[in-house]
Amino acid sequence: MTSRAASSPAPRSVPTAAALERSAWFRAAPEPLREALRAAGRVRTLAAGERLFMRGDTDDGLYCVLEGAVRVGAASMAGREALLAVVGPARWFGEIALFDGGARTHDAYAERDSTLFHVPRAALVALLDATPAYWRVFGLLLAQKLRLAFDAIEETALLPAPARVARRLLLLAHDYGEAAVTPTPAPAALRARCVIPVPQEDLALMLALSRQTVNQILRQLERDGVLALRYGEIEIVDAARLAAQAQ
C-alpha cells in the first residue's frame, strides 16, 4: 500500500457540488453549514490500494467519497481481514474522532481509483466553536452509523445466514440510505434492477461468514430468480422477494 495522497483546493465545480448533494445527511444540514463545509473542503485523489489512514493515526478531519470507494476495516497480525464497510459515493466517514478527539479506529484504503472531499479537523473545530448548534448535525451522522452497527450486531446474534445476506444486499443496494431520495427507504421501495459492485469475498467479510456459505446462499437465490451473479458484482432481479428473504 502507498502513502497518503496530496490534497488540493476543491474546485467549485458542478460535479463536486452535485456529488455532495447526493448525501441525504448533507442535504438535510442547514445551508450555512453546507456552505461552510464546501468552502473548507479540499479534493483528494487516491489510487487503487492507496492508504488514506490507519488505525491509531491522528484524526485529520471528515471525508466524503465523491467517486470510487474506500475500504474501511482492520487486519490481524496473521493477515485476516475484518471488513467494516466499503464506503461509496455520497457517504461521509471519519466523524467518530471528531467527537472524542481520539485516534482513527480503523484502516482506510482506496478500493479503486477514488476522489474524496476532505474537511480538515481544524476547520471543523473552528466551525463548531463558532456555532455549537452544529454539533447536533454531526451527531445525527454518528447516530446513523451507530444504528447500522447495532443492527449488524443484532442480526449476527439472531438471524440465520440467508436472512443476513439478504439484508446486507438490500442495504448495499440503497448505499446505506445515502443514494435514495429519502434517508431511510423501505427495502420494498427498490423496484428497478440494481447492480451491486461487491465481490462475494467482500460480502462474506462484511458478514463474518465463510465465502463458501455466502456462495451457497447466493447460488440458491440465483436459482430462485432473485439474483443474477456475475464476476465482481451481484444484480438484484426481484427486490420484493429479496426483501421477503430478509425478514
Side-chain angles (χ1 to χ4, degrees):
M1 301 294 181
T2 54
S3 60
R4 295 188 182 195
S7 62
S8 59
R12 302 304 296 272
S13 62
V14 174
T16 298
L20 293 175
E21 289 296 327
R22 288 182 58 198
S23 164
W25 173 78
F26 188 80
R27 289 198 309 271
E31 178 54 35
L33 173 56
R34 293 159 64 191
E35 180 57 32
L37 292 175
R38 286 191 291 260
R42 299 290 183 268
V43 169
R44 301 180 65 163
T45 57
L46 296 175
E50 190 169 1
R51 173 172 67 90
L52 179 61
F53 55 74
M54 294 190 71
R55 171 180 282 179
D57 282 355
T58 301
D59 170 37
D60 65 346
L62 195 64
Y63 291 91
C64 179
V65 178
L66 301 179
E67 294 179 333
V70 173
R71 193 179 187 89
V72 178
S76 70
M77 294 295 293
R80 183 178 178 183
E81 183 181 9
L83 182 59
L84 181 66
V86 177
V87 183
R91 290 186 60 207
W92 293 79
F93 64 99
E95 71 280 356
I96 293 177
L98 174 64
F99 280 85
D100 64 9
R104 292 298 189 188
T105 59
H106 293 85
D107 306 334
Y109 292 90
E111 174 80 359
R112 50 187 177 273
D113 291 350
S114 301
T115 304
L116 311 179
F117 188 75
H118 174 219
V119 184
R121 177 178 175 81
L124 291 168
V125 171
L127 179 62
L128 290 165
D129 284 346
T131 312
Y134 289 158
W135 274 110
R136 181 180 183 276
V137 181
F138 290 98
L140 292 174
L141 180 63
L142 182 64
Q144 180 190 32
K145 305 286 182 61
L146 190 59
R147 283 182 179 275
L148 292 172
F150 282 164
D151 286 345
I153 293 170
E154 179 181 314
E155 290 168 5
T156 300
L158 300 179
L159 293 181
R164 290 171 59 197
V165 169
R167 285 188 176 222
R168 185 54 61 100
L169 288 174
L170 290 168
L171 197 61
L172 290 169
H174 286 299
D175 203 6
Y176 297 89
E178 291 293 351
V181 175
T182 55
T184 55
L190 185 65
R191 298 303 181 194
R193 290 188 173 218
C194 176
V195 177
I196 305 169
V198 58
Q200 293 184 32
E201 182 178 0
D202 283 359
L203 184 60
L205 287 172
M206 291 179 191
L207 295 168
L209 295 170
S210 71
R211 189 185 186 284
Q212 181 181 17
T213 297
V214 170
N215 179 262
Q216 290 173 348
I217 293 169
L218 294 176
R219 290 297 179 188
Q220 183 60 55
L221 290 170
E222 184 176 45
R223 287 192 291 269
D224 293 341
V226 177
L227 303 177
L229 305 179
R230 293 189 288 273
Y231 179 77
E233 60 185 28
I234 301 168
E235 180 181 5
I236 298 177
V237 177
D238 192 328
R241 291 175 65 193
L242 185 62
Q245 293 282 342
Q247 298 306 313

